[in-house]
Amino acid sequence: MSSLRLLSSVARNARISSSPAVLKRGYAEATDKIKLSLVLPHQSIFTSQDVVQVNLSAVTGDMGVLANHIPTVESLRPGTLEVIESEGTSKKWFVSGGFATVHPNNSLTINAVEAAPLEDFSAEAVRANLAEAQKVANGNGSEEDKLEASIEVGVYEALQYALSSK
Amino acid sequence: MLAQRTLALRLPAKAANANLTQARNMATLREIEMRLKSVRNIEKITKSMKMIASTKLSKAQRAMNEAKKYGSANTELFQHATAEESPKRKLFIVISSDKGLCGGIHSSVTKATRRGLRGQPISESEGKAVEVDSDSPIVVIGDKSKSQLSRALPKNLTLTVNQIGRDIPTFADAAGVADLITKLDAEYDSVVIVYNKFVSSIAYEAAYMEISNEKILRESSGFRTYEQEDDSTKDLAEFSLANAIYAALVEGHACEMSSRRNAMDNASKNAGDMISSLQLQYNRGRQAAITNELVDIITGNPLNVALSCAHSLISSPKVPVLCNDVDVEQEALIPGSRIIKFKPQGNGISVLHNSALSEPPHTESTSVSQRHCMRALRDI
């Protein structure tokens, strides 16, 4: 699948498949920007702001979005979201999940249920909650409870990974 | 002699009339006092409700501004990927709440839903008429709209949710509702969310959001321009539904707070007006009673003077008035008061009439209060 991606990325415009080690190099320079709207139910972090690049972790893999990206709909998995507003400045958030949509008019809309800057998380709390969730997931509750707990485990593990690779 | 007799006959009648009006004024005075007390209490309650609603409104408005940005980001996709043809079978979600005393919030949403089901434009200011299946299912959030709709469209009600709207709605509430709806397994092409749109802090109007479901989304040509690695249309449809419900819930909550504030504000104003007019009436009545008493004292009719003094001292009509004038019908003067008429007889007195007792009195009285009265009278 990755080879197919490489082929299609040659044909299409500016789609980078980046590993968790962030690739800041882009085909478009700081002059071409994409309008980003990153909104949470209780707060909007970006509202139609021009940014250079956005790296997000989609269910299908990590990807970076530059200006004039083709329209696409991606489901997000719990992970880090990095926004590069201009050359050199980047900010990171941990996103719990949601959808990212690139529209035909060069705008990227991300609806996330919860997102917070990485600095706001405490590793201790993450470790404690992860242990508890694992206990419930492996315990003998109802199927629904175990499923919810396993989703929790996934989020906490992704959070730990994001915090460790800051 | 004849002239004198006529004069003599007339005087007691006029005096009796004056006492009658005086008595009536006194009774009405008490009524006015009670009304004043109750209206003052009501004014206190409505004022405090207005204060609470204003503080809740400022918080709700801030949450609404954020939620609106979230909702509009959500519907951007649907603007680009419009449905090919207008879907006939719609699922209506009616957003209201459980509490009352908030003006016309619930009726506005209910009326809009009924308009929508008939095929007329839901919002009064804009929209076009579309054809809608008459047995489209309706999901109601909030007990007040549920009772209104269960009278109007009982067959369409599919699901009702309550206990939402006590505080600012959270995404968890909206996600829960969306989950229930997807589990419903009902047939529909699109979801129409009917809610109250916040126009200003003193005005709101019914509006709607239309969210296509998975099937319609896939068929839309606009949607096909979006590239997807894995097909996440179903997840997208469910997520968008939860987002739209969230935005509508928060805006509806803000409208309800503002409407409750305005309603309680009007109620307090009306109560204030009532209090001032009642107060004026009370003062007028009080002054009239005092004037009448003064007139009685000045004219010098001993019976009326005595009665006026007695009644000005009485705080409650239950206190008995003892009178040894057996001729005048005094119960007529103060309705409900206890008049005990007596006549000295031998060693004691005989009670001729006790208006408090239902059966005719006897010479040998048994009740303690009467005995006390008689002892007191013997000593006079």
Side-chain angles (χ1 to χ4, degrees):
Chain A
M1 190 172 112
S2 53
S3 53
L4 256 168
R5 270 243 204 115
L6 261 156
L7 274 174
S8 50
S9 72
V10 165
R12 286 205 200 106
N13 191 10
R15 183 184 169 115
I16 314 174
S17 186
S18 63
S19 60
V22 168
L23 268 178
K24 281 207 199 154
R25 195 181 63 111
Y27 297 122
E29 288 310 323
T31 46
D32 270 10
K33 297 207 182 173
I34 184 168
K35 275 198 173 351
L36 169 68
S37 293
L38 172 58
V39 280
L40 312 176
H42 54 87
Q43 182 198 5
S44 48
I45 303 181
F46 285 97
T47 336
S48 273
Q49 219 174 308
D50 277 333
V51 298
V52 174
Q53 183 177 347
V54 180
N55 295 329
L56 33 95
S57 47
V59 162
T60 52
D62 295 343
M63 57 188 276
V65 177
L66 291 163
N68 299 316
H69 197 286
I70 49 152
T72 173
V73 173
E74 292 285 342
S75 170
L76 298 174
R77 59 164 210 271
T80 346
L81 182 125
E82 187 181 359
V83 177
I84 300 166
E85 288 182 67
S86 53
E87 281 299 318
T89 58
S90 87
K91 292 192 213 150
K92 287 200 198 173
W93 282 269
F94 183 81
V95 169
S96 71
F99 265 86
T101 320
V102 183
H103 296 288
N105 55 359
N106 193 26
S107 67
L108 165 64
T109 309
I110 304 181
N111 277 334
V113 179
E114 262 295 357
L118 280 178
E119 303 87 62
D120 290 0
F121 291 98
S122 111
E124 295 300 314
V126 175
R127 215 175 314 140
N129 288 347
L130 173 61
E132 249 200 68
Q134 273 168 338
K135 230 191 315 171
V136 178
N138 300 330
N140 42 7
S142 71
E143 273 308 308
E144 261 197 58
D145 286 343
K146 284 169 76 166
L147 204 58
E148 280 186 22
S150 63
I151 297 177
E152 270 190 59
V153 166
V155 176
Y156 285 126
E157 279 175 352
L159 194 48
Q160 261 193 336
Y161 181 67
L163 285 172
S164 61
S165 61
K166 226 192 316 185
Chain B
M1 235 264 286
L2 205 65
Q4 250 184 341
R5 260 243 291 230
T6 356
L7 268 171
L9 272 171
R10 254 208 222 131
L11 211 51
K14 216 197 276 183
N17 260 345
N19 275 328
L20 195 60
T21 11
Q22 179 187 356
R24 209 178 279 142
N25 279 344
M26 295 272 267
T28 348
L29 267 183
R30 217 156 278 139
E31 272 175 23
I32 299 179
E33 215 179 314
M34 288 200 293
R35 272 196 89 191
L36 253 180
K37 206 164 68 157
S38 92
V39 177
R40 278 212 187 98
N41 283 340
I42 291 180
E43 199 215 6
K44 275 195 211 124
I45 294 173
T46 54
K47 254 202 191 137
S48 70
M49 281 188 81
K50 175 188 158 195
M51 286 291 120
I52 296 174
S54 341
T55 47
K56 282 196 177 172
L57 173 65
S58 45
K59 251 194 347 180
Q61 246 184 299
R62 269 176 299 183
M64 180 190 74
N65 290 332
E66 299 299 329
K68 268 177 110 157
K69 286 192 216 154
Y70 189 70
S72 60
N74 179 48
T75 47
E76 233 183 300
L77 175 65
F78 293 93
Q79 284 162 3
H80 289 286
T82 50
E84 293 296 304
E85 40 161 71
S86 177
K88 287 268 188 67
R89 199 157 165 84
K90 307 191 182 191
L91 171 77
F92 286 87
I93 305 182
V94 181
I95 309 267
S96 80
S97 83
D98 302 338
K99 300 218 188 116
L101 288 180
C102 49
I105 289 279
H106 310 296
S107 333
S108 147
V109 157
T110 316
K111 270 190 238 166
T113 313
R114 292 173 68 185
R115 276 201 300 266
L117 255 166
R118 281 198 296 262
Q120 291 159 358
I122 287 181
S123 143
E124 282 169 336
S125 49
E126 40 136 52
K128 46 186 181 16
V130 289
E131 232 204 270
V132 178
D133 263 352
S134 66
D135 58 346
S136 302
I138 301 184
V139 172
V140 185
I141 301 181
D143 285 331
K144 292 279 166 185
S145 272
K146 167 182 124 187
S147 43
Q148 287 177 357
L149 278 172
S150 61
R151 267 179 278 136
L153 304 161
K155 290 194 297 276
N156 302 60
L157 274 191
T158 319
L159 176 70
T160 59
V161 182
N162 60 5
Q163 300 295 341
I164 288 187
R166 282 166 167 265
D167 208 351
I168 301 187
T170 59
F171 188 76
D173 298 330
V177 174
D179 193 37
L180 283 170
I181 292 178
T182 40
K183 282 202 211 136
L184 254 187
D185 208 23
E187 283 275 324
Y188 55 89
D189 297 328
S190 78
V191 178
V192 174
I193 304 178
V194 185
Y195 66 107
N196 282 310
K197 190 160 79 152
F198 193 87
V199 170
S200 80
S201 64
I202 50 170
Y204 59 87
E205 66 167 6
Y208 71 101
M209 277 195 256
E210 191 149 2
I211 306 284
S212 329
N213 79 345
E214 182 197 347
K215 197 170 57 132
I216 300 282
L217 205 52
R218 258 193 253 262
E219 289 165 12
S220 147
S221 59
F223 190 64
R224 278 191 226 124
T225 61
Y226 287 86
E227 199 199 81
Q228 289 185 68
E229 289 275 341
D230 286 341
D231 187 22
S232 47
T233 319
K234 180 161 171 302
D235 290 340
L236 179 65
E238 288 173 9
F239 187 59
S240 312
L241 179 63
N243 293 344
I245 293 178
Y246 173 74
L249 273 175
V250 179
E251 196 161 355
H253 179 83
C255 286
E256 189 194 325
M257 289 300 120
S258 88
S259 176
R260 181 167 294 131
R261 196 187 127 270
N262 294 335
M264 291 297 106
D265 189 26
N266 286 337
S268 306
K269 264 195 224 128
N270 291 341
D273 291 341
M274 270 181 92
I275 287 176
S276 6
S277 77
L278 276 176
Q279 189 72 43
L280 281 173
Q281 229 184 323
Y282 181 75
N283 288 339
R284 250 183 270 130
R286 194 174 51 89
Q287 286 159 359
I290 293 175
T291 314
N292 283 338
E293 282 176 25
L294 279 174
V295 163
D296 285 339
I297 292 172
I298 292 169
T299 54
N301 186 340
L303 166 68
N304 293 334
V305 173
L307 265 177
S308 305
C309 294
H311 279 104
S312 63
L313 295 170
I314 288 178
S315 54
S316 127
K318 294 231 182 70
V319 174
V321 175
L322 303 159
C323 189
N324 65 348
D325 191 324
V326 301
D327 289 327
V328 176
E329 288 305 309
Q330 283 141 14
E331 298 90 314
L333 298 177
I334 295 98
S337 58
R338 292 175 53 186
I339 309 275
I340 304 180
K341 283 191 243 179
F342 64 91
K343 177 171 117 178
Q345 195 171 60
N347 252 354
I349 51 172
S350 85
V351 174
L352 290 172
H353 179 83
N354 186 341
S355 63
L357 290 182
S358 47
E359 72 276 344
H362 34 243
T363 329
E364 196 82 40
S365 65
T366 48
S367 85
V368 175
S369 59
Q370 289 178 338
R371 246 181 266 138
H372 279 318
C373 297
M374 267 164 247
R375 263 189 230 122
L377 287 169
R378 230 175 290 147
D379 299 335
I380 292 175

